Amino acid sequence: MGTQNGIIRKVAIATGGGDAPGLNAVIRAAVLAGIARGWEMYGIRDGYNGLMMPEQYIDGGLISLTRDRVRGITHLGGTIIGTTNRGNPFQYPVKNADGTYTEIDRSDELVRSFAMHEIDALISVGGDGSMSIANSLSEKGVRVVGVPKTIDNDLDQTVVTFGFDTAVGFAVECLDRLHTTAASHRRVLIVEVMGRYAGWIALESGVAGSADVVLIPEIPFDLKKVSEKILERQRSGSNFSIVVVAEGAKPVGGSVSVISKEIGRAERLGGIGERITEELQELTGKETRLVVLGHLLRGGSPTANDRLIALRFGAAAIRALDEGQSGVMVALDPPIVKYVPLADATRRMKNVPLDCDTMLTARDLGVCFGD
Ligand code: F6P
């Protein structure tokens, strides 16, 4: 790896964590803007795995990103270079003989690999985990610019992350479809959405999709309050209800539903929809069904809005490197894209403020939050 202010000839891009619609648009913009400056652009396979276990890749784990390679990818979901949520070089999971895992620090090896491939700068595209890794790599002397991505919208310091708008749009389309079937059968339909420990997807899709109840991690819920709302709707002639529940929502005095916690990756959330479906059916006496949207929220083509943010972020990352910046993350602060220190970006998670305008609107519309 060259020094943090030497000449740039070669730039590598890594995408880490869960995929989000818009990643390919970032890659395309960064590659075209880099090539325009005479730089060679590369993609590291699957986070940093391409460099940490190159023997596992037929192409050696590092691929040349040419103009041809990034043609026609702006509208594609996923990431053409692959991603992983198990590849933190500072806490790399290694499988022991007995099947258990131990975490080891392989960051020095990764930095050496950058130097061996004469990579002068890195663009790290990812969520809070990837931004913390980028920050630690920056502290080790790597010239790096971060690009925030997540459908969860829980990254601080940027007004929004790309992927969020696509996820919300798809959830709303599902809610529209579920309304007609719920009404026809006079049922309660529970819709579980992703979002980790933040309620952004649930809140925004719930309000835009006319849900009657929205349960978010920021407000521990009481199912009795939820059932009262459903029964009150019934008394006033609305025989069905739509409940949107965020995967990170939890009952008052209860805990978040966790599917698994493995070494080397964040805990997997899920199961809250199932937990409340049966209980609500008992409390209301109404037939209650569950739909878990899960990874459907991460797939598909990015909306025009997400494409634009992603393209702006990719180009801004290259401009940051060209200006000699490092250890920063690009961030949307309309109408501009600004640069914030990576350390600030990862200091805290961005939760839904309970007094934000969308919350106030939801309350005025009569949406129940189970409180
Ligand atoms: O951070 C994005 C996200 O989709 C979260 O909403 C979800 O909790 C998590 O990733 C799921 O990750 P995976 O199923 O890929 O392990």
Side-chain angles (χ1 to χ4, degrees):
M1 172 72 65
T3 60
Q4 288 205 350
N5 46 20
I7 290 172
I8 294 178
R9 291 186 194 87
K10 222 168 160 180
V11 177
I13 304 174
T15 52
D19 67 325
L23 282 170
N24 285 324
V26 173
I27 293 171
R28 178 165 170 267
V31 167
L32 295 186
I35 289 173
R37 284 163 173 80
W39 301 348
E40 279 176 58
M41 302 298 296
Y42 287 83
I44 307 170
R45 293 263 186 217
D46 306 340
Y48 300 110
N49 282 349
L51 290 184
M52 291 198 294
M53 32 187 197
E55 68 290 349
Q56 301 212 353
Y57 296 85
I58 16 175
D59 53 19
L62 188 67
I63 50 168
S64 168
L65 293 174
T66 58
R67 245 174 221 289
D68 279 350
R69 192 69 192 80
V70 300
R71 186 162 291 131
I73 63 167
T74 301
H75 66 292
L76 296 181
T79 158
I80 60 163
I81 55 177
T83 186
T84 179
N85 38 25
R86 280 193 176 81
N88 183 344
F90 293 87
Q91 290 168 292
Y92 203 80
V94 178
K95 202 168 186 177
N96 304 314
D98 63 359
T100 58
Y101 282 88
T102 309
E103 288 176 351
I104 58 166
D105 184 350
R106 293 186 60 188
S107 57
D108 285 338
E109 210 182 306
L110 178 64
V111 175
R112 279 198 299 276
S113 177
F114 286 141
M116 196 185 88
H117 289 95
E118 299 179 320
I119 295 167
D120 303 305
L122 169 72
I123 295 178
S124 163
V125 194
D128 58 343
S130 302
M131 292 307 112
S132 308
I133 296 167
N135 188 38
S136 304
L137 287 174
S138 158
E139 283 165 2
K140 279 182 170 274
V142 173
R143 178 164 18 181
V144 56
V145 171
V147 174
K149 154 251 65 164
T150 166
I151 63 162
D152 305 333
N153 195 33
D154 59 352
L155 264 169
D156 197 30
Q157 302 289 330
T158 181
V159 166
V160 78
T161 46
F162 63 85
F164 175 65
D165 187 55
T166 308
V168 169
F170 178 73
V172 170
E173 190 187 324
C174 294
L175 291 174
D176 290 347
R177 288 170 184 243
L178 293 170
H179 261 92
T180 52
T181 173
S184 305
H185 287 266
R186 298 167 301 283
R187 284 173 171 159
V188 175
L189 266 166
I190 316 270
V191 185
E192 183 183 306
V193 296
M194 283 186 168
R196 285 210 302 179
Y197 311 103
W200 292 106
I201 298 178
L203 174 67
E204 297 211 0
S205 66
V207 173
S210 304
D212 308 295
V213 179
V214 175
L215 305 177
I216 57 174
E218 292 81 354
I219 306 177
F221 61 82
D222 175 353
L223 275 192
K224 288 212 184 71
K225 297 270 169 57
V226 176
S227 72
E228 275 162 26
K229 167 77 181 178
I230 292 168
L231 294 174
E232 175 200 307
R233 275 176 54 76
Q234 178 149 299
R235 282 192 295 276
S236 62
S238 297
N239 280 320
F240 72 97
S241 286
I242 303 282
V243 177
V244 175
V245 58
E247 62 178 0
K250 54 177 185 291
V252 176
S255 53
V256 172
S257 296
V258 176
I259 296 177
S260 62
K261 171 76 195 104
E262 292 162 33
I263 279 201
R265 52 159 302 163
E267 57 185 8
R268 278 184 67 204
L269 304 186
I272 187 63
E274 214 174 312
R275 266 171 72 186
I276 66 172
T277 299
E278 213 174 302
E279 218 176 316
L280 267 184
Q281 179 154 311
E282 264 171 39
L283 285 168
T284 61
K286 289 185 71 66
E287 198 172 9
T288 304
R289 294 288 167 89
L290 169 67
V291 177
V292 180
L293 295 184
H295 295 87
L296 288 169
L297 295 167
R298 289 211 324 229
S301 193
T303 59
N305 204 34
D306 277 343
R307 290 181 204 188
L308 198 54
I309 296 172
L311 291 166
R312 289 175 67 193
F313 278 0
I318 292 291
R319 287 199 301 273
L321 289 175
D322 204 10
E323 286 164 14
Q325 303 221 45
S326 180
V328 294
M329 181 185 88
V330 303
L332 191 66
D333 185 9
I336 62 158
V337 171
K338 64 179 183 182
Y339 306 118
V340 295
L342 276 166
D344 291 355
T346 51
R347 200 156 286 141
R348 65 176 202 117
M349 204 180 92
K350 184 175 70 187
N351 275 110
V352 172
L354 298 186
D355 59 352
C356 72
D357 193 68
T358 309
M359 278 299 295
L360 300 181
T361 304
R363 298 268 190 204
D364 280 334
L365 290 170
V367 173
C368 167
F369 287 93
D371 58 347

